[in-house]
Amino acid sequence: MDADHAKAVIADLGLAPDTIDNTDLTQALLVIHAAVGTPESEEARKLLGEVAKAAKKMVADEHLVFLAQYVADERIRKSQFKAATKWLKKAKEMPVDELDVADFEQTTGVGVSYTDDEIAAAVAKTLADNADDLAKLRYQIKATKLKGQVMRSLPFVDSDAVETILQAKMAEALGPMTEADIAAAASGKKGGKKGGKKGGKAGGKAGGKAGGKAGGKAGGKAGASAPDGTDAAPAKSVRTLPVTLDDPATLPDAPVTLKYSQRTSVRHVLSAGLKWSGAPVTVAGWVRTIRKQTTMAFVELVDGSTIKGLQVIVEEDKIGFAELQAAATGASLKVVGTIVESPGKNQAVEIKATTVEILGECSPDEYPLAKSRIKLETMWPLAHLRVRTKVVGAAARVRNVLAMATHEFFQGIGCQYVHTPLITASDCEGAGEMFRVTTLLKEDGLVSEIPATDDGHVDYAQDFFSKPAMLTVSGQLNVETYCAGLSSVYTFGPTFRAENSHTSRHLAEFWMIEPELAFADIHDNMACAEDYLKHCVSTVMAKCSEEINVFDQYVAPGLIDRLYNIVESDFTRITYTEAIRVLEAAIAAGDVSFEKKVEWGIDLASEHERYLCEQVYNMPTIVYNYPKDIKAFYMRLNDDPEAPAPTVAAMDVLCPLVGELMGGSQREERYDVLVERLKEDNMPLEPYWWYLDLRKFGSVVHSGFGVGFERLVLLCTGLGNIRDVIPFPRYPGEALF
Amino acid sequence: MDADHAKAVIADLGLAPDTIDNTDLTQALLVIHAAVGTPESEEARKLLGEVAKAAKKMVADEHLVFLAQYVADERIRKSQFKAATKWLKKAKEMPVDELDVADFEQTTGVGVSYTDDEIAAAVAKTLADNADDLAKLRYQIKATKLKGQVMRSLPFVDSDAVETILQAKMAEALGPMTEADIAAAASGKKGGKKGGKKGGKAGGKAGGKAGGKAGGKAGGKAGASAPDGTDAAPAKSVRTLPVTLDDPATLPDAPVTLKYSQRTSVRHVLSAGLKWSGAPVTVAGWVRTIRKQTTMAFVELVDGSTIKGLQVIVEEDKIGFAELQAAATGASLKVVGTIVESPGKNQAVEIKATTVEILGECSPDEYPLAKSRIKLETMWPLAHLRVRTKVVGAAARVRNVLAMATHEFFQGIGCQYVHTPLITASDCEGAGEMFRVTTLLKEDGLVSEIPATDDGHVDYAQDFFSKPAMLTVSGQLNVETYCAGLSSVYTFGPTFRAENSHTSRHLAEFWMIEPELAFADIHDNMACAEDYLKHCVSTVMAKCSEEINVFDQYVAPGLIDRLYNIVESDFTRITYTEAIRVLEAAIAAGDVSFEKKVEWGIDLASEHERYLCEQVYNMPTIVYNYPKDIKAFYMRLNDDPEAPAPTVAAMDVLCPLVGELMGGSQREERYDVLVERLKEDNMPLEPYWWYLDLRKFGSVVHSGFGVGFERLVLLCTGLGNIRDVIPFPRYPGEALF
């Protein structure tokens, strides 16, 4: 075999250069190429590679050439290929000039072609056959099933053509998606099986609420305003993210070994791509999938550094091949091998193993995640294992990137990180129900042994902190004290709510970010919140592009477009007073109706907030200067003669599909005004002595806001349930692990 | 590699048997041993281990052998070793036969040797040079400084020889320690000034203890063994830190206005120095000091961005001059003016004000921090204001820098940040007393109203989590689950201990960092811990140089030298078995006596740990491979036939003056062994079902360690009480704010 000639042929046909390593395959390709040359059609060129692969099923080279000629002439295409090889295999004893060509052509559909009208007719028939299901399930019907029926009725029809026509006909038959369609989608159930009866708790609820209000809207936009916002949007994003991982230019010329762990990360190998081709490498991780053949095994190896797996090829003569027969999904492996260009289209490179070592086995019979598609809820009791799945692992990586983006942003604007206390004896803000922290209760203690005062009350003087102590609901008041010394600060830590809330948006323990900026007013505050959110989203889009693409495709169609919308919009900023005016005008024009009445002074409900940012402005929207009476005592009183009643410099950042994401305010820095506010709200002054001190001693204008970190992760992943974006969720009745 | 031969070589050289676990090191040892054999001198034998360790800094084996030959011939000894490796590192591209041997020998002092008389003469001269200090400070004089002077006068002199002779000469000059000497040592005060009357609380206490035992010791070492270790070291550092702030080159040509806060930070103005001279600027902050004259006022303005203040000059014709007469320490100001070159020696630039505005006044009669020198303890009840002071503000900045250095380090090595839960229903590790988290107790509740079961026990089924729930004492077990999916992870979050502990080193709520590295063994773990600590310390030295200089000068003399020692040392790593041998040898030689008896199997006490890292090695020291019986069940059982009883792959990082700073282990990854360990410890298996699952499904070798974040801040600031390095400390009886 002339190697240079073989290389040229392989290149001509557009096959991977290392195809040449497979001698048999190359031999067959040379025979084929000598006979039929290089076809013009790309599909045909690629298919000749398949012909060569099929060579060992055939006895004679002449059969190979016979098939190759049909392929080169485009008389046999992808959809017919399987039938063709099958036919030839049966006829393998027959010399080529004795083959029954007519039978061959009929069996493999040579010459068969369909007009669009023919396909449309078949589609129409299939839709008619499924009329009942279609009426019941509408967009929840399983489209792949319908497509299969059409294709069976038109042998060898082109798959793409059927798909296009089927989608058009379904849209024609069903009309635009309705609110109910969206609600059904939101429930997270595929149609058919359970008929969408019993969606995820949260999805169903949120959907029901939103259903009422959006009824009057054009269906076309409904896609973007799916109520729960997460796994509900029915249409895929228009844009995709370039998959970048790490820039190969930032990587050295040879594989980098991770410090303290003698291996190279999967992320680095995939990022480097062909740059490291030919280099020896050691990788370690877990089996995502494994395919075993007699002479070769294919492993998709993951190590958590990226969502993508690394393909590892193990040939039968390699050390560990025998052992590998016992390996299944979840087993841990160490692989020593060489990085080579991959012939597959899913990756630029793969590993050709020299040795494979099974570090830890994983029995498919016992492993709860052995199956490939498991519902997210099913994994809640498996929180110790679920990070190994694609979706939960991707959410964990996004969470990590968001945490670092948060630090980068605030450090970058000169803020210092402050750890405010978790345990506190002051129930200052009254922001919610609090957990008590105590050493008075024992594991198996008797109630009668709990220390009591003479009049039978719990004796907190004997508790650890000598007084009642709670878990904090916010670090804001504490961090304001540091703002009054370090100027610009932020917290990032856990926060607690003892609320008996089982929704998809609430946790008993969650992480919160609370910046507090000295010498900053409400307008500075809004600018900071907008820039922070954009920084977070764009960082995730850059560093987790693979993950976001997967979420967009499988979890939250439209996610990428929504993220671009955040990054590219100049957020709308309107006063509360203006927002009420806009809502009232929309009602008067008959554009919308709400469950809760709109009038100046109400606390905006979720339906109002979402109408504003989704329907009116279609971008993140900041509403500010709220009525004093519905806001906390520490928010700065405005001088706002235009408003019907006093307002305070509060702000809420509302996001399409998500609703309120951040809330903040300029703080009341005037001692007398603050004391007055506390008195008006019938709050005692004494517990606030230290907070008031800040206004006595060198008080300054300052502002801040709070961000629920998990909500930010929901926003960026498109996931629908907050329990899926924190490692070990805590909610009523659940504190496992 | 022939394991038996390798073992024999290791034993021959007197190195720890488990050296063999380090493959690279062993490989280098074999090369060296083959070339130079086993030297007679013990020092040379040990030093060959160091040569092997240096192998990775050298390119070629021949360099290794070149160096080893000098060592074996005792022509290069300990004191010359560093210079030798440094020289070779520079020459690493050079073939061995082209090395400039003459230069090498001269640079490394080959052939240099000093008689005892020569050394004694140099010591005598140094003592004469320091006669005044010696008379005044007696044993409180910094012996390391004297030793340094001697050593500089005799290049490559043997360090031990100098130490011995110096101690003898000092004892000769000063006579035995008097009661006054011991009291001075115990008080932890600099000699002379206050005569050691009134040390810091903690220093006094611990010192009393140490004083008793140190009496019998040579006085020369007293300086290095200051008892409390924190604010006690008696002499200032030999070195200072260059004050850098931000590099002016990184700043634009004109003053940068902070985003969201229309002003320029004090740190930026001081960093830019003359670069911005002549430019208009707006600054805002608080008055640290103010001097008012008839025609001019001088304000030192601080804004928390750095420890330094910015001098502001206000002339009588400027807007605000009159108003300024009412301003005092703590008042907040906004100043518009021009940056001008300062005639003063303390700063390059100052602000010439155009207008000054008092934002918030601060009455000197009411302001608790109006006085300039307030004890740290006095400020505990003023935690809402104390960040405005120099020391607490500086500690807050160091804390911020350390937090970011932590994230940078772990992200830099590919670890992902994981938020492990705070509230937990599993009391797995049993690492300490836990707080209970509950909603069963009400603020003013009656004991009789607490839900009880029929037999009178607290009915946790009615509690928020339907079972007893606690605040976590460690995230380790939880984070291991993420390590088994993301490979390399770390936590950084709050941790709790309900221990009734009032020491200067304990808090009920503190922050902890817990990395967990997949595919990493105990040696990787030690390397990671060492690099992490060095990264933290060097980052603080670079970014908080002003703060560290102030701490060194006013709070913790010697701090800078200690920090350099950490950054520049190759941490000693010895097995527990070796550590016991070293301690026993020191006792046998009469060098030291301990309160707690030293024998294989004991848990090392603080006195042992500090003796090792302060007296024996004088650098951070990692002790590893501890007896199984004194360590936790999850630590990996060693195959350690040399040890008298089974050991586990645990490690502790000990630091001079601080003691144990980090602790960690390789984790037991073998299911059967782990189950056995739990059973041996009489622990139930059931609560660990999920932890055991990790060993069932794709188990991998992994290791990790824990760092008490506040202890790291103590180490870097030299502060003595943990309550001063966390914003709002929680301890028994205290949960204010």
Side-chain angles (χ1 to χ4, degrees):
Chain A
M1 188 170 85
D2 173 353
D4 285 341
H5 173 60
K7 274 185 200 164
V9 166
I10 287 166
D12 259 7
L13 294 175
L15 302 170
D18 67 349
T19 306
I20 201 161
D21 294 343
N22 187 326
T23 322
D24 292 343
L25 195 64
T26 306
Q27 205 60 57
L29 279 172
L30 292 177
V31 169
I32 290 166
H33 189 262
V36 305
T38 306
E40 271 190 29
S41 136
E42 195 194 335
E43 185 192 328
R45 289 200 301 270
K46 295 266 176 199
L47 213 47
L48 286 183
E50 296 298 318
V51 175
K53 251 173 75 183
K56 54 186 168 198
K57 291 183 192 159
M58 288 176 244
V59 171
D61 279 355
E62 53 181 23
H63 279 197
L64 202 58
V65 172
F66 172 83
L67 176 58
Q69 196 63 60
Y70 275 94
V71 168
D73 296 343
E74 295 186 67
R75 301 177 72 202
I76 286 184
R77 303 184 58 184
K78 255 198 305 199
S79 57
Q80 300 153 262
F81 190 74
K82 200 170 169 184
T85 49
K86 199 171 152 193
W87 191 94
L88 278 170
K89 203 174 155 194
K90 270 192 196 158
K92 66 180 173 185
E93 308 296 346
M94 197 74 71
V96 75
D97 51 4
E98 288 176 28
L99 291 178
D100 183 346
V101 175
D103 183 57
F104 173 77
E105 294 193 349
Q106 201 193 344
T107 310
T108 57
V110 169
V112 171
S113 87
Y114 301 95
T115 63
D116 281 359
D117 285 350
E118 282 172 312
I119 298 173
V123 167
K125 182 176 179 311
T126 297
L127 291 180
D129 290 347
N130 289 276
D132 286 352
D133 277 355
L134 202 60
K136 197 170 65 191
L137 299 174
R138 292 183 50 83
Y139 281 103
Q140 293 298 98
I141 200 165
K142 204 162 186 185
T144 47
K145 193 179 125 200
L146 300 182
K147 184 176 162 191
Q149 289 178 15
V150 175
M151 292 189 70
R152 274 191 294 280
S153 73
L154 305 173
F156 308 112
V157 68
D158 181 65
S159 162
D160 291 344
V162 172
E163 174 113 45
T164 308
I165 292 171
L166 178 63
Q167 278 181 18
K169 288 276 167 198
M170 273 180 68
E172 219 170 81
L174 297 175
M177 275 194 158
T178 65
E179 275 306 306
D181 292 334
I182 294 163
S187 76
K189 291 290 164 191
K190 275 190 220 126
K193 275 192 181 165
K194 298 196 179 173
K197 185 181 126 212
K198 193 187 109 192
K201 219 179 270 176
K205 198 175 147 198
K209 217 165 138 193
K213 74 181 170 196
K217 266 209 69 226
K221 262 197 177 171
S225 65
D228 187 45
T230 47
D231 49 3
K236 285 190 185 166
S237 290
V238 175
R239 303 206 239 177
T240 56
L241 294 181
V243 174
T244 48
L245 288 178
D246 302 321
D247 180 359
T250 64
L251 293 168
D253 288 337
V256 266
T257 300
L258 283 177
K259 277 187 174 171
Y260 328 118
S261 170
Q262 282 72 45
R263 64 189 169 100
T264 299
S265 83
V266 168
R267 185 181 175 105
H268 281 161
V269 173
L270 293 177
S271 298
L274 294 175
K275 182 171 180 177
W276 291 349
S277 184
V281 75
T282 300
V283 292
W286 294 268
V287 173
R288 178 178 276 163
T289 59
I290 180 164
R291 263 188 309 137
K292 300 160 199 164
Q293 298 179 351
T294 330
T295 61
M296 212 179 265
F298 300 84
V299 176
E300 186 187 359
L301 189 79
V302 291
D303 70 357
S305 59
T306 173
I307 196 169
K308 279 204 82 168
L310 179 63
Q311 173 144 293
V312 176
I313 314 288
V314 191
E315 291 161 331
E316 61 175 332
D317 58 347
K318 296 303 185 296
I319 298 168
F321 181 82
E323 203 190 356
L324 205 58
Q325 301 305 308
T329 295
S332 46
L333 298 187
K334 183 175 169 186
V335 177
V336 179
T338 307
I339 300 173
V340 298
E341 186 172 355
S342 174
K345 63 178 169 26
N346 292 322
Q347 61 271 322
V349 292
E350 59 192 29
I351 306 286
K352 211 161 175 176
T354 319
T355 63
V356 175
E357 184 189 346
I358 298 193
L359 304 175
E361 296 190 348
C362 188
S363 157
D365 302 331
E366 291 185 71
Y367 190 44
L369 303 180
K371 289 200 202 88
S372 62
R373 289 211 167 225
I374 304 171
K375 279 193 219 147
L376 291 169
E377 306 91 280
T378 310
M379 286 188 285
W380 291 345
L382 301 172
H384 64 307
L385 298 174
R386 63 181 180 153
V387 72
R388 304 172 180 206
T389 66
K390 261 192 184 173
V391 168
V392 180
R397 276 185 295 277
V398 169
R399 188 178 172 107
N400 170 62
V401 166
L402 281 173
M404 290 314 294
T406 294
H407 283 301
E408 280 157 19
F409 178 83
F410 288 111
Q411 297 281 333
I413 61 166
C415 286
Q416 301 194 54
Y417 183 30
V418 173
H419 289 138
T420 47
L422 286 295
I423 299 173
T424 176
S426 58
D427 175 15
C428 279
E429 210 195 336
E433 288 293 309
M434 296 173 95
F435 288 104
R436 193 161 300 283
V437 176
T438 182
T439 52
L440 293 180
L441 298 187
K442 307 295 171 201
E443 175 89 39
D444 290 314
L446 292 168
V447 169
S448 57
E449 286 168 356
I450 295 170
T453 58
D454 290 345
D455 60 356
H457 286 85
V458 177
D459 186 7
Y460 289 111
Q462 296 188 48
D463 205 350
F464 188 90
F465 295 106
S466 311
K467 58 185 96 57
M470 282 81 64
L471 286 178
T472 188
V473 293
S474 160
Q476 181 206 317
L477 303 194
N478 295 91
V479 88
E480 279 191 50
T481 69
Y482 266 57
C483 178
L486 300 180
S487 286
S488 291
V489 291
Y490 66 108
T491 70
F492 184 4
T495 319
F496 306 87
R497 294 277 192 290
E499 272 157 25
N500 192 20
S501 162
H502 285 270
T503 79
S504 62
R505 310 274 294 162
H506 292 91
L507 289 169
E509 172 183 314
F510 57 97
W511 285 63
M512 195 144 80
I513 297 137
E514 296 181 286
E516 192 72 36
L517 311 173
F519 314 106
D521 65 15
I522 185 74
H523 298 283
D524 295 317
N525 208 27
M526 289 191 281
C528 182
E530 176 170 346
D531 288 352
Y532 167 62
L533 180 56
K534 286 175 171 173
H535 175 79
C536 285
V537 171
S538 60
T539 304
V540 166
M541 289 169 85
K543 295 198 176 168
C544 298
S545 50
E546 287 265 23
E547 281 79 6
I548 298 300
N549 281 332
V550 168
F551 283 123
D552 187 80
Q553 197 167 3
Y554 299 107
V555 174
L559 173 66
I560 293 174
D561 288 349
R562 292 200 295 278
L563 297 181
Y564 271 119
N565 180 251
I566 291 172
V567 172
E568 294 171 352
S569 300
D570 279 334
F571 293 5
T572 303
R573 296 184 198 172
I574 50 166
T575 63
Y576 170 90
T577 304
E578 203 176 332
I580 293 292
R581 223 178 280 140
V582 168
L583 292 173
E584 286 174 338
I587 296 166
D591 287 348
V592 67
S593 65
F594 296 110
E595 287 181 10
K596 181 172 174 179
K597 194 184 170 195
V598 172
E599 58 184 340
W600 202 99
I602 63 161
D603 207 354
L604 294 182
S606 173
E607 53 177 341
H608 307 133
E609 294 178 341
R610 299 203 36 193
Y611 181 78
L612 286 169
C613 63
E614 290 167 13
Q615 308 300 331
V616 181
Y617 302 108
N618 192 28
M619 67 165 79
T621 300
I622 310 182
V623 179
Y624 65 105
N625 288 354
Y626 280 82
K628 182 193 77 169
D629 290 345
I630 58 171
K631 290 289 181 181
F633 72 92
Y634 52 72
M635 298 185 175
R636 193 179 195 279
L637 195 63
N638 286 320
D639 178 22
D640 190 357
E642 299 287 308
T647 64
V648 290
M651 64 146 192
D652 281 345
V653 181
L654 316 174
C655 283
L657 288 185
V658 170
E660 188 194 323
L661 185 72
M662 319 192 228
S665 68
Q666 184 174 335
R667 319 305 189 188
E668 184 55 74
E669 89 281 12
R670 296 162 297 185
Y671 182 85
D672 296 340
V673 181
L674 187 59
V675 167
E676 201 47 51
R677 287 294 309 276
L678 281 164
K679 285 183 182 164
E680 269 177 29
D681 288 1
N682 291 315
M683 294 170 78
L685 294 184
E686 197 282 325
Y688 297 95
W689 67 273
W690 54 276
Y691 190 67
L692 288 166
D693 262 7
L694 302 180
R695 278 71 184 166
K696 250 186 186 163
F697 305 124
S699 187
V700 300
V701 166
H702 63 293
S703 302
F705 56 91
V707 189
F709 185 56
E710 283 74 20
R711 297 209 175 171
L712 191 59
V713 186
L714 286 178
L715 175 85
C716 291
T717 56
L719 282 165
N721 198 307
I722 199 163
R723 296 176 191 180
D724 294 320
V725 298
I726 189 167
F728 296 92
R730 269 71 179 101
Y731 45 91
E734 196 55 82
L736 254 180
F737 307 104
Chain B
M1 186 168 87
D2 175 351
D4 285 336
H5 172 60
K7 274 184 199 165
V9 167
I10 286 166
D12 258 0
L13 294 174
L15 302 171
D18 62 359
T19 305
I20 201 162
D21 293 344
N22 187 330
T23 323
D24 290 346
L25 194 64
T26 306
Q27 204 61 54
L29 280 173
L30 292 179
V31 169
I32 291 166
H33 190 261
V36 306
T38 306
E40 273 196 31
S41 136
E42 193 193 341
E43 185 192 319
R45 288 199 302 270
K46 294 269 176 197
L47 213 47
L48 286 183
E50 295 300 315
V51 176
K53 249 173 79 180
K56 54 187 168 199
K57 291 184 191 155
M58 288 177 239
V59 171
D61 278 351
E62 50 179 13
H63 280 195
L64 202 59
V65 171
F66 173 82
L67 177 58
Q69 196 62 59
Y70 275 95
V71 168
D73 296 341
E74 294 187 73
R75 300 178 71 204
I76 285 184
R77 304 185 58 184
K78 257 201 300 200
S79 57
Q80 301 154 259
F81 190 75
K82 201 168 170 184
T85 49
K86 199 171 151 195
W87 191 95
L88 279 170
K89 206 172 148 191
K90 272 194 196 152
K92 66 179 170 185
E93 308 296 345
M94 197 74 73
V96 75
D97 50 1
E98 289 177 39
L99 291 178
D100 184 347
V101 175
D103 183 62
F104 173 77
E105 296 197 350
Q106 201 193 344
T107 311
T108 57
V110 169
V112 171
S113 87
Y114 301 94
T115 62
D116 280 0
D117 284 347
E118 282 172 311
I119 298 172
V123 166
K125 180 176 181 307
T126 297
L127 291 179
D129 289 346
N130 290 276
D132 286 353
D133 278 354
L134 202 62
K136 196 169 68 190
L137 299 173
R138 290 183 52 83
Y139 281 105
Q140 292 298 98
I141 200 166
K142 194 152 192 195
T144 48
K145 192 179 129 201
L146 300 182
K147 185 175 161 191
Q149 289 177 15
V150 176
M151 291 189 72
R152 272 191 294 280
S153 71
L154 305 173
F156 303 110
V157 68
D158 180 57
S159 162
D160 290 348
V162 172
E163 176 116 22
T164 309
I165 292 170
L166 178 62
Q167 279 180 22
K169 289 275 167 198
M170 274 179 66
E172 217 173 277
L174 297 176
M177 270 195 160
T178 63
E179 276 305 308
D181 290 332
I182 293 165
S187 77
K189 285 290 162 195
K190 266 174 262 171
K193 273 193 182 165
K194 297 196 178 173
K197 184 181 125 213
K198 194 183 112 194
K201 214 180 275 176
K205 199 174 147 197
K209 217 163 135 192
K213 78 180 173 210
K217 268 205 70 224
K221 276 198 175 172
S225 65
D228 182 50
T230 46
D231 49 2
K236 282 190 190 170
S237 291
V238 174
R239 303 206 240 177
T240 55
L241 293 182
V243 174
T244 48
L245 286 181
D246 301 321
D247 180 359
T250 65
L251 293 168
D253 289 336
V256 265
T257 301
L258 284 176
K259 277 186 175 172
Y260 327 118
S261 168
Q262 282 72 48
R263 64 189 169 100
T264 299
S265 84
V266 168
R267 184 180 176 106
H268 281 161
V269 173
L270 293 175
S271 298
L274 294 174
K275 182 172 180 176
W276 290 350
S277 184
V281 75
T282 300
V283 292
W286 293 268
V287 173
R288 178 178 277 163
T289 59
I290 182 165
R291 264 187 308 134
K292 299 161 200 163
Q293 298 177 353
T294 331
T295 61
M296 214 179 266
F298 300 84
V299 177
E300 186 187 1
L301 190 79
V302 291
D303 69 357
S305 59
T306 173
I307 198 169
K308 280 202 81 166
L310 179 62
Q311 175 144 293
V312 176
I313 315 289
V314 191
E315 291 161 333
E316 62 174 331
D317 58 347
K318 296 302 185 298
I319 299 168
F321 181 80
E323 204 190 355
L324 206 58
Q325 300 305 308
T329 295
S332 47
L333 298 186
K334 183 176 166 185
V335 177
V336 179
T338 308
I339 300 173
V340 297
E341 188 170 354
S342 173
K345 64 177 168 28
N346 290 322
Q347 61 272 321
V349 291
E350 58 193 28
I351 307 287
K352 210 163 177 177
T354 321
T355 63
V356 175
E357 183 189 346
I358 298 192
L359 303 174
E361 296 189 347
C362 188
S363 157
D365 302 331
E366 291 186 70
Y367 190 46
L369 304 181
K371 291 201 201 85
S372 64
R373 287 209 169 232
I374 305 170
K375 277 195 218 146
L376 290 168
E377 307 90 281
T378 311
M379 286 188 283
W380 290 346
L382 301 172
H384 63 308
L385 298 174
R386 64 181 180 153
V387 72
R388 303 172 180 206
T389 67
K390 260 191 185 176
V391 168
V392 179
R397 274 185 296 276
V398 169
R399 187 178 173 106
N400 170 61
V401 165
L402 281 172
M404 289 314 295
T406 296
H407 282 301
E408 279 158 19
F409 178 82
F410 288 111
Q411 297 281 333
I413 61 166
C415 287
Q416 301 193 56
Y417 182 30
V418 174
H419 289 137
T420 47
L422 287 294
I423 299 173
T424 176
S426 57
D427 174 15
C428 278
E429 210 195 335
E433 287 294 309
M434 295 173 95
F435 288 105
R436 194 161 299 282
V437 176
T438 183
T439 51
L440 293 180
L441 298 187
K442 306 296 169 199
E443 174 88 42
D444 290 314
L446 292 166
V447 168
S448 57
E449 286 167 355
I450 296 169
T453 57
D454 289 345
D455 59 356
H457 286 84
V458 177
D459 186 7
Y460 289 109
Q462 296 188 47
D463 206 350
F464 188 89
F465 295 107
S466 311
K467 56 185 97 58
M470 281 81 68
L471 287 178
T472 188
V473 294
S474 159
Q476 182 206 318
L477 303 195
N478 295 90
V479 88
E480 279 190 51
T481 68
Y482 266 58
C483 178
L486 299 181
S487 286
S488 290
V489 291
Y490 66 109
T491 70
F492 184 5
T495 319
F496 306 87
R497 293 278 191 289
E499 273 157 23
N500 192 21
S501 163
H502 286 268
T503 78
S504 62
R505 311 271 296 160
H506 292 90
L507 288 170
E509 172 184 316
F510 57 99
W511 285 63
M512 195 143 82
I513 296 138
E514 296 181 285
E516 191 72 35
L517 310 173
F519 314 105
D521 65 15
I522 185 74
H523 297 283
D524 296 316
N525 208 26
M526 289 192 281
C528 182
E530 175 170 347
D531 289 352
Y532 166 63
L533 180 57
K534 286 176 171 172
H535 175 79
C536 283
V537 171
S538 60
T539 304
V540 165
M541 289 169 85
K543 295 198 177 170
C544 299
S545 49
E546 287 267 23
E547 281 80 4
I548 298 300
N549 280 333
V550 167
F551 283 123
D552 187 82
Q553 197 168 2
Y554 299 107
V555 174
L559 173 66
I560 293 174
D561 286 349
R562 292 201 295 278
L563 297 181
Y564 269 119
N565 180 253
I566 291 172
V567 173
E568 294 173 352
S569 300
D570 278 335
F571 294 5
T572 303
R573 296 184 198 173
I574 49 166
T575 62
Y576 170 90
T577 304
E578 202 176 331
I580 293 291
R581 221 180 281 140
V582 169
L583 292 173
E584 285 174 339
I587 296 167
D591 287 347
V592 66
S593 65
F594 297 109
E595 289 181 6
K596 182 171 173 180
K597 194 184 170 195
V598 172
E599 58 185 338
W600 202 99
I602 63 162
D603 207 354
L604 294 181
S606 173
E607 55 176 341
H608 308 133
E609 296 178 340
R610 297 206 31 195
Y611 180 78
L612 286 169
C613 63
E614 290 167 13
Q615 308 299 331
V616 181
Y617 302 108
N618 191 30
M619 66 166 81
T621 300
I622 310 182
V623 179
Y624 64 106
N625 289 354
Y626 281 83
K628 183 193 76 167
D629 290 344
I630 58 171
K631 289 289 179 183
F633 72 93
Y634 52 73
M635 299 184 174
R636 193 180 195 279
L637 196 63
N638 286 321
D639 177 24
D640 191 356
E642 298 288 310
T647 63
V648 290
M651 64 147 192
D652 281 343
V653 181
L654 317 174
C655 283
L657 287 187
V658 170
E660 188 193 324
L661 184 72
M662 319 193 229
S665 68
Q666 182 173 336
R667 319 304 189 189
E668 184 55 76
E669 89 281 12
R670 296 162 296 184
Y671 182 86
D672 296 340
V673 181
L674 187 59
V675 166
E676 203 46 52
R677 286 294 309 278
L678 281 164
K679 286 182 182 162
E680 271 177 25
D681 288 2
N682 290 317
M683 294 170 78
L685 294 185
E686 197 282 324
Y688 298 95
W689 67 272
W690 54 276
Y691 190 68
L692 289 167
D693 262 7
L694 303 180
R695 279 69 185 168
K696 250 187 188 162
F697 304 124
S699 188
V700 300
V701 166
H702 62 294
S703 302
F705 56 90
V707 189
F709 185 56
E710 283 73 20
R711 298 210 175 168
L712 191 60
V713 186
L714 286 178
L715 175 85
C716 290
T717 56
L719 282 165
N721 197 306
I722 200 164
R723 297 178 191 180
D724 294 319
V725 299
I726 189 167
F728 297 90
R730 269 72 181 102
Y731 45 91
E734 196 55 82
L736 254 180
F737 307 105

